[in-house]
Amino acid sequence: MKAGAPGVFRQAPGFPAFLTDQQEKGSTPMPIVFHPQSRTFHLHNASISYIFKVLPSGHLGQLYCGKALRDRPDFDRLFETAPRSMSVCYFDGDDAYSLEHIKQEYPTCGAGDMHLPALDAQMPDGSRLLDLRYQKHTVTPGKPPIEGLPATYAEQDSEATTLTVTLADPLAGVTVKLFYTLFEQLPALARHAEIACTGQGPVQLDRAMSLCLDLPDSGYEMVELTGAWARERHVTTRPLAEGVQAVYSLRGHSSHHFNPFLALKRPDCGEMAGEVYGFSLVYSGNFLAQADVDPYHVTRVTMGIHPQNFRWTLRPGETFSTPEAVMVYSDRGLNGMSQTYHQLYRTRLARGVWRDKVRPVLVNNWEATYFAFNEEKLLTLAAQAKALGIELFVLDDGWFTHRSNDHGGLGDWEVDTAKLPGGLKGFAEKLNAMGLQFGLWIEPEMVNAGTRMWDEHPDWVLHQPGRRPQPSRHQYVLDYSNPDVVDFLYRRLEALLDGVPVSYIKWDMNRSISDAFSCAAGPAGQGEVLHRYILGLYRLYDRLTSRFPQILFESCASGGARFDPGMLYYAPQCWTSDDTDAVERLKIQYGTSFVYPVSSMGAHVAAVPNHQLDRVTSLTTRANVAFFGAFGYELDLTQLSPRGQELVARQVEFFKQHRRLLQFGAFWRLQSPFAHNEAAWMTVSPDRETALVGDYLILQQVNAGYRRIRLAGLDPSRLYRVTPLGSGAAPCGQPYTAGGDELMQAGLVTTGGSQAQHEGDFVS
């Protein structure tokens, strides 16, 4: 083992989907209980309780959210009120009953709550006053879908139970249904709202959050995933303070800058122990996730579509559904939160035949050739890939006409027969004859100036007539809020793919949205454009994945600019970042794992010097990082030395042998690259018979101290055979046995016998 290269503990021949500790031990039936006398709802399973009630005023009051409690006929003692000066009181003479100070489920404007609300709307008479009160509720087995939107699901009714609470304001002509789905075996609660216009005139929605939770104190630290292009999803932690702290996107997509996620953890919460609440939005567009702390230290968490540039008209009889927000509670630290998201999103958000299948080892030609290729060059690269054991060849940008650079060609999607004389079909068949699958890059949301689409359909481009639209990467955004555009692109892509043996699609989006004006929406519809764009995107994805269910779709947005739960519903993996440097990927993949499963992270071995940073890392280190993801290569394999070819062949063989464990095992973060010169993580099989550890020393240190890592997730009663691995994932050093308790408590020693001190920086 070289300074802690991946180490394998007994390989299991196969195993089922990952189970939580609660599932292994068994758990009590999961009820959603309504106590009519106290008018209290208790949503609980073996891990979590969520309690709220119908208040005397008819509003919904939040009582408790956290570790599972035994059910009781009432929890009224948890309802807190106190007289506050300058407060608006709901009942005359009751100075303590003010909606400003009562913790609520779905607060609105106008009834005395002076905080930022969950719902803000304008009625036909110009009023913004809303007073939503309880009408009825239903409890149903299973989980209903959300029309037109991605969402988690239950394959069997026994997996989840859904509570629907109906609130109404008859004077305003507004009815709201709040949906709560509690999963049987997970500390996860999925929420969304459905808002209906039940009056005589239209209602304008200006703010419609998916989730609101009032917590009784502010003793938390807020964890965010922040960054920019090529350094996405870095972990940032800050203590809560009075006022609003938020993450958001106004870029038309979820963005490189902030992920649609936040967590509130207690200050003593770490990776392995402590209390944390996670909040994740199943949406790919503009979002807002915020914690608003009032002067009395109550923390209001809201999450949903960003209200900026959003205005939705509800006409009589129409409804609007918010995206789904998923709240996870963990008293087992940040790893406990993450493993819940991993299991839920991998098995009950991702769909299709590729949800549970191991992913093929691929080579992508982008960093090997960029635009400068022809069929002969590609087939030479493909032949080398096949010889090394690679299974899938992905043809990236540059395969269509007028595409020798990124200035032209987007929008017409006509194969460049000068590069591919037999077209896509002919090229794919040649790959198949070699024994390789064929994958293809597309960017169907964009258009270049000067293309036929640009000239024939200028109204299909997002822009305000009379105003020059602003380019980015020499391209412009198509108006997916216009159904005609989506229908045209479906027909064009269907014709392009039909009859071609395509196994994989990389769907890219290489710019943010500006000039968000739709020529088809009319003056009153411009506030709906950005949300309708995302609905159009989802509709096109849904149609294509239904038409071509055998294709593995990977979403991409200039790397990780749209790595969000909404995309996982259609594409079970995402290109994690355009930054392929192994050292930077430690941070990117570490942060991404806070919410997203390893199987969703596209991770490739790239050339050195790295094309983003010019950093040189060993082929072994690059692979040892990329193993923990949807594994592949993005370099010119024909330029490898004989030694390099030997290493790649061994890496591919090793990954194939262990990919079910790597992609679908329980992932544990052990040491943070944001806090240490060493990063470490591991994955464990559900039966806890097998584990693989990745340990990465970033910079060498002179005369350094001892190094060991405490492992996690093992069976403390078992003996494990520990096999250190070196170059090409080949065994190195002497295998030995150690108890699971020893490895988790005393740790895995990564110093004695290691030769890492002689190998320079960036060792794994």
Side-chain angles (χ1 to χ4, degrees):
M1 179 186 296
K2 297 186 178 179
V8 178
F9 307 156
R10 288 192 300 159
Q11 181 190 5
F15 45 85
F18 168 63
L19 301 177
T20 64
D21 288 342
Q22 287 76 17
Q23 286 172 291
E24 292 174 1
K25 298 172 184 175
S27 60
T28 57
M30 189 273 312
I32 290 182
V33 179
F34 178 67
H35 296 288
Q37 186 169 355
S38 63
R39 301 211 291 178
T40 301
F41 296 94
H42 187 186
L43 294 73
H44 65 111
N45 58 25
S47 303
I48 185 175
S49 281
Y50 190 92
I51 306 171
F52 63 94
K53 68 170 295 172
V54 182
L55 300 173
S57 58
H59 303 93
L60 299 182
Q62 167 63 221
L63 299 181
Y64 175 80
C65 175
K67 191 171 182 177
L69 303 178
R70 289 174 293 173
D71 190 41
R72 304 276 309 238
D74 74 70
F75 291 88
D76 284 354
R77 56 202 160 277
L78 298 178
F79 177 63
E80 298 172 285
T81 60
R84 308 284 190 191
S85 60
M86 298 299 294
S87 296
V88 176
C89 300
Y90 198 83
F91 299 112
D92 191 16
D94 187 350
D95 293 342
Y97 199 100
S98 171
L99 294 182
E100 180 179 359
H101 304 295
I102 290 173
K103 294 177 280 293
Q104 296 181 67
E105 281 297 294
Y106 205 70
T108 60
C109 289
D113 189 338
M114 306 300 181
H115 302 85
L116 292 171
L119 179 62
D120 183 18
Q122 183 174 355
M123 272 48 78
D125 63 357
S127 167
R128 308 196 74 86
L129 306 181
L130 269 175
D131 193 15
L132 295 172
R133 288 179 281 180
Y134 171 84
Q135 302 295 306
K136 61 182 180 179
H137 73 273
T138 59
V139 177
T140 55
K143 186 176 188 297
I146 308 175
E147 184 177 358
L149 286 167
T152 56
Y153 57 89
E155 287 193 338
Q156 300 178 7
D157 285 349
S158 60
E159 294 177 355
T161 305
T162 298
L163 167 68
T164 306
V165 182
T166 301
L167 310 175
D169 183 339
L171 181 62
V174 174
T175 297
V176 175
K177 290 183 179 180
L178 302 179
F179 292 83
Y180 304 78
T181 296
L182 188 61
F183 292 89
E184 173 93 21
Q185 300 289 350
L186 294 171
L189 184 66
R191 294 181 58 179
H192 79 280
E194 184 181 281
I195 304 153
C197 175
T198 55
Q200 299 301 309
V203 172
Q204 305 288 342
L205 301 181
D206 293 317
R207 182 186 185 97
M209 294 290 104
S210 300
L211 170 149
C212 180
L213 174 64
D214 283 351
L215 294 169
D217 68 272
S218 61
Y220 298 96
E221 294 176 336
M222 181 167 159
V223 182
E224 313 155 12
L225 301 178
T226 68
W229 176 80
R231 55 178 177 87
E232 297 89 344
R233 290 172 300 285
H234 283 206
V235 180
T236 301
T237 303
R238 52 173 160 156
L240 287 187
E242 291 182 14
V244 174
Q245 34 263 289
V247 293
Y248 67 94
S249 175
L250 291 173
R251 306 181 72 88
H253 53 89
S254 49
S255 87
H256 300 94
H257 297 77
F258 301 107
N259 201 255
F261 161 82
L262 66 83
L264 297 183
K265 74 178 190 70
R266 295 299 188 184
D268 63 352
C269 174
E271 287 287 0
M272 304 300 172
E275 186 177 57
V276 58
Y277 300 85
F279 305 90
S280 173
L281 188 65
V282 186
Y283 189 62
S284 307
N286 287 356
F287 75 90
L288 175 65
Q290 68 180 32
D292 181 4
V293 179
D294 74 8
Y296 302 99
H297 310 297
V298 172
T299 301
R300 172 169 291 178
V301 180
T302 51
M303 174 174 273
I305 297 172
H306 203 297
Q308 181 69 35
N309 301 328
F310 172 81
R311 186 173 177 86
W312 193 275
T313 301
L314 279 179
R315 294 169 182 82
E318 292 182 343
T319 62
F320 177 84
S321 294
T322 70
E324 180 172 273
V326 178
M327 188 200 77
V328 164
Y329 169 78
S330 171
D331 63 350
R332 298 183 294 121
L334 292 165
N335 268 296
M337 175 197 72
S338 297
Q339 288 173 12
T340 297
Y341 277 124
H342 295 176
Q343 183 176 354
L344 181 62
Y345 284 175
R346 184 178 64 77
T347 67
R348 293 299 181 267
L349 178 63
R351 304 173 300 160
V353 298
W354 284 101
R355 185 190 73 178
D356 301 321
K357 289 177 64 174
V358 294
R359 310 296 159 69
V361 182
L362 66 82
V363 62
N364 185 299
N365 75 296
W366 179 242
E367 289 193 10
T369 67
Y370 294 101
F371 296 104
F373 62 81
N374 56 31
E375 185 173 85
E376 181 182 2
K377 186 172 185 178
L378 295 177
L379 290 175
T380 301
L381 179 59
Q384 181 65 30
K386 175 60 180 175
L388 298 175
I390 290 170
E391 300 160 306
L392 168 67
F393 184 94
V394 179
L395 176 58
D396 211 284
D397 196 357
W399 55 265
F400 44 97
T401 55
H402 309 295
R403 196 65 174 174
S404 58
N405 53 46
D406 60 6
H407 290 239
L410 281 177
D412 289 346
W413 301 112
E414 295 178 349
V415 181
D416 187 345
T417 54
K419 291 182 177 180
L420 302 173
L424 293 178
K425 187 173 188 292
F427 179 64
E429 288 173 346
K430 290 177 181 178
L431 292 177
N432 291 169
M434 289 184 184
L436 287 170
Q437 301 171 55
F438 172 56
L440 184 68
W441 174 95
I442 59 174
E443 190 174 5
E445 298 169 65
M446 303 294 160
V447 64
N448 289 123
T451 58
R452 189 170 64 254
M453 176 183 278
W454 174 273
D455 294 335
E456 294 178 359
H457 298 283
D459 56 318
W460 284 6
V461 178
L462 285 174
H463 77 290
Q464 184 181 14
R467 192 183 302 276
R468 179 184 63 84
Q470 300 175 73
S472 177
R473 200 175 181 252
H474 317 291
Q475 60 197 45
Y476 303 85
V477 184
L478 293 172
D479 182 7
Y480 271 43
S481 73
N482 182 347
D484 292 342
V485 176
V486 174
D487 290 343
F488 172 85
L489 287 167
Y490 172 74
R491 293 191 300 270
R492 184 71 191 94
L493 292 171
E494 181 188 39
L496 183 75
L497 300 176
D498 193 30
V500 179
V502 179
S503 300
Y504 164 103
I505 288 291
K506 179 181 177 181
W507 182 316
D508 211 344
M509 179 204 188
N510 276 305
R511 62 157 294 174
S512 298
I513 297 177
S514 64
D515 305 283
F517 185 96
S518 170
C519 296
Q526 297 305 320
E528 302 177 6
V529 167
L530 287 171
H531 181 55
R532 288 195 184 277
Y533 181 100
I534 297 299
L535 296 178
L537 171 70
Y538 291 155
R539 187 164 59 251
L540 182 56
Y541 251 113
D542 194 58
R543 294 175 69 180
L544 288 171
T545 54
S546 298
R547 173 66 177 82
F548 301 101
Q550 79 284 358
I551 293 178
L552 170 60
F553 280 78
E554 178 176 275
S555 64
C556 177
S558 197
R562 204 161 58 189
F563 200 130
D564 57 66
M567 298 311 298
L568 291 185
Y569 187 74
Y570 306 98
Q573 65 188 56
C574 180
W575 182 226
T576 313
S577 175
D578 279 343
D579 191 338
T580 53
D581 173 68
V583 178
E584 288 302 305
R585 273 299 187 105
L586 289 173
K587 292 182 178 179
I588 293 168
Q589 290 173 214
Y590 189 95
T592 302
S593 76
F594 268 58
V595 185
Y596 304 101
V598 168
S599 61
S600 70
M601 300 184 210
H604 296 174
V605 176
V608 292
N610 176 263
H611 290 194
Q612 290 79 47
L613 293 175
D614 281 339
R615 179 181 281 143
V616 176
T617 55
S618 72
L619 189 57
T620 295
T621 291
R622 282 174 273 158
N624 287 346
V625 176
F627 282 150
F628 293 85
F631 181 68
Y633 291 84
E634 194 146 343
L635 73 168
D636 190 344
L637 297 168
T638 66
Q639 298 301 307
L640 291 174
S641 67
R643 171 61 174 162
Q645 293 177 23
E646 178 187 350
L647 284 178
V648 167
R650 290 214 306 258
Q651 290 167 357
V652 171
E653 181 183 4
F654 174 84
F655 182 77
K656 289 179 180 178
Q657 185 181 8
H658 297 288
R659 60 181 155 190
R660 180 161 291 277
L661 168 63
L662 283 160
Q663 293 181 345
F664 301 138
F667 185 77
W668 295 85
R669 292 181 300 272
L670 304 177
Q671 188 132 296
S672 169
F674 297 100
H676 303 279
N677 186 43
E678 179 182 5
W681 52 47
M682 66 185 292
T683 184
V684 184
S685 66
D687 56 17
R688 296 195 286 180
E689 287 189 2
T690 310
L692 194 141
V693 180
D695 177 37
Y696 311 90
L697 182 64
I698 299 171
L699 296 177
Q700 288 289 355
Q701 296 170 314
V702 175
N703 199 19
Y706 299 109
R707 299 172 58 242
R708 66 172 65 184
I709 313 163
R710 284 188 173 189
L711 305 188
L714 304 177
D715 184 340
S717 65
R718 283 180 173 166
L719 279 178
Y720 290 88
R721 181 177 177 84
V722 181
T723 305
L725 300 178
S727 297
C732 71
Q734 289 298 317
Y736 61 92
T737 60
D741 54 349
E742 173 191 333
L743 292 164
M744 292 190 291
Q745 297 303 318
L748 178 70
V749 175
T750 60
T751 46
S754 170
Q755 298 179 5
Q757 62 267 29
H758 304 301
E759 298 184 2
D761 297 328
F762 322 128
V763 183
S764 63

